[in-house]
């Protein structure tokens, strides 16, 4: 087993949470950083005491670099991942897998052909609401899966000045970034999408974001809503909204129904309803099992719900659902920055362990494709006024 040498590509807002984690992981030998904008790489280099690699292409040519970690803008991932795999590198990539169905298929085939590791950093599979539904599903609490609802609600004004100033990409179709919402339901239900139909909200704000001739997709839809038919016989309602009077919790499973039980969520309250017999159900408030520890400690505060609605206690925190994941984290992660409900540390440990031990990672390429492709086709359905579209599946990970 050989330790990883990692080149982090893209020194923007997100990667700064991950460079220290790669550096601290016991399976990692060395970390480099790279950005098209030299000052950003220099800033990272100073802040995190890492060397700079001039270009992405240089990192591919270097024999001592085994691993590429991609943190570039969301629509750039596909071509970069393909080049990295073709150069014999393991790949960690921020979401999504890619922005074209063909690219997703090519990436799956490259991983199958080369045996290299690809992992997509889907933060939401470690969101406690999704972990709770997955565990109860596996225990049989829900019986057969029937229906679920999940969404990623993130108003465009919340994206920050840098994101909004890039007019060509700020108006990206909402369903080109589908993996938080699809991932939470599909991972919990253990299934994949076979067909999708979707509608969109045509934006009317005229602020140079979701307008024809402005963004590179000519996209006019700021919100999109879909129904996805699943391979297990169930259906999911998945929404991606970017113009919405709402803030947090932004990515959540809001309901998950089976033949024997159901889960419902609203703000910080999580309810589990189980059938006891033909005419009676049992109701448990499971909020303390699902919410992060810090949230539970503060639930008596007068402003508790307002703080939750403003993203309180949803970043560098852990929940009882993540107990076994926290226990296996390396000691060297203690005190380091975390994020997205404690998922950053877990994801980096998943990836570094998988590459080092030659095992299949959690959000492997087959899963990443199942989370991404339905969204890409949902946008096609939006454009075609709800046309039902078959969703191809690129298979299961090897046993
Ligand atoms: N919860 C989550 O999973 C989550 C949250 C935030 C961001 N993200 C994802 O993380 C990624 C990065 O987001 P961000 O906010 O840091 O973006 P950003 O725009 O702040 O940074 C991207 C950086 O990549 C650089 N870059 C682009 N192409 C490059 C290339 N070929 N070589 C070297 N550098 C290159 C850009 O110059 C820029 O500095 C995005 O894909 C985003 O979707 C995921």
């Amino acid at each position: 087993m050989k330790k990883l040498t990692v080149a982090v590509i893209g020194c923007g807002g997100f990667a700064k949470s991950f460079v220290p984690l790669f550096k601290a992981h016991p399976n990692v030998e060395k970390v480099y950083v790279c950005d098209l904008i030299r000052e950003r790489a220099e800033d990272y280099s100073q802040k995190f005491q890492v060397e700079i690699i001039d270009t992405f292409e240089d990192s591919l040519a270097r024999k001592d670099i085994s691993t590429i970690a991609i943190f570039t803008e969301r629509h750039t991932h596909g071509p970069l991942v393909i080049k990295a795999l073709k150069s014999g590198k393991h790949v960690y990539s921020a979401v999504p897998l890619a922005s074209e169905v063909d690219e997703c298929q090519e990436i799956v085939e490259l991983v199958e052909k080369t045996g290299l590791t690809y992992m997509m950093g889907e933060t939401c599979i470690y969101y406690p609401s999704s972990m709770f539904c997955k565990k109860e599903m596996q225990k049989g609490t829900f019986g057969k899966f029937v229906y679920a609802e999940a969404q990623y609600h993130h108003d465009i004004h919340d994206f920050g000045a840098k994101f909004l100033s890039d007019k060509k990409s700020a108006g990206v179709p909402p369903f080109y970034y589908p993996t938080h919402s699809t991932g939470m339901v599909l991972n919990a239900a253990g299934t994949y999408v076979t067909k999708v139909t979707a509608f969109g909200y045509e934006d009317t704000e005229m602020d140079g974001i979701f307008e024809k001739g402005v963004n590179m997709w000519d996209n006019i839809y700021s919100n999109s809503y879909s129904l996805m038919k699943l391979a297990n016989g169930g259906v999911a309602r998945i929404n991606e909204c970017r113009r919405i009077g709402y803030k947090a919790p932004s990515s959540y499973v809001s309901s998950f129904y089976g033949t024997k039980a159901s889960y419902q969520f609203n703000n910080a309250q999580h309810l589990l309803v189980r059938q006891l017999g033909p005419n009676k159900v049992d109701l448990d408030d499971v909020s303390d099992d699902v919410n992060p520890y810090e949230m539970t400690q503060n639930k008596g505060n007068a402003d508790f719900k307002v703080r939750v609605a403003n993203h309180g206690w949803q970043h560098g925190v852990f929940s009882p659902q993540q107990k076994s994941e926290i226990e296996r984290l390396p000691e060297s992660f203690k005190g380091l920055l975390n994020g997205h409900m404690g998922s950053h540390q877990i994801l980096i440990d998943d990836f570094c362990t998988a590459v080092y031990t030659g095992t299949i990672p959690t959000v492997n390429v087959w899963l990443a494709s199942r989370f991404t492709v339905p969204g890409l086709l949902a946008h096609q359905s939006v454009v075609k006024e709800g046309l039902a579209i078959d969703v191809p599946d690129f298979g299961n990970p090897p046993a």
Side-chain angles (χ1 to χ4, degrees), residues 222-247:
S222 48
N223 298 335
S224 296
Y225 325 97
S226 74
L227 276 182
M228 299 191 178
K229 192 171 177 215
L230 307 181
N232 66 0
V235 170
R237 191 277 291 140
I238 301 286
N239 292 353
E240 287 289 336
C241 299
R242 307 289 177 263
R243 190 82 80 182
I244 191 151
Y246 182 84
K247 183 170 169 71

Side-chain angles (χ1 to χ4, degrees), residues 318-350:
F318 287 113
S319 133
Q321 291 301 312
Q322 299 160 324
K323 193 167 179 294
S324 59
E325 282 74 17
I326 306 163
E327 282 168 2
R328 49 101 160 148
L329 289 178
E331 277 294 305
S332 50
F333 276 11
K334 285 224 165 86
L336 294 182
L337 205 63
N338 206 341
H340 289 94
M341 290 242 174
S343 63
H344 294 187
Q345 295 194 358
I346 306 172
L347 289 166
I348 294 306
D349 184 52
D350 281 352

Side-chain angles (χ1 to χ4, degrees), residues 10 12-14 35-36 40 71-73 77 123 162 177 180 340:
F14 197 44
D35 200 290
L36 288 176
R40 291 190 185 166
F71 289 92
T72 59
E73 292 84 350
H77 298 173
T123 46
K162 187 154 71 70
Y177 193 78
H180 296 334
H340 289 94

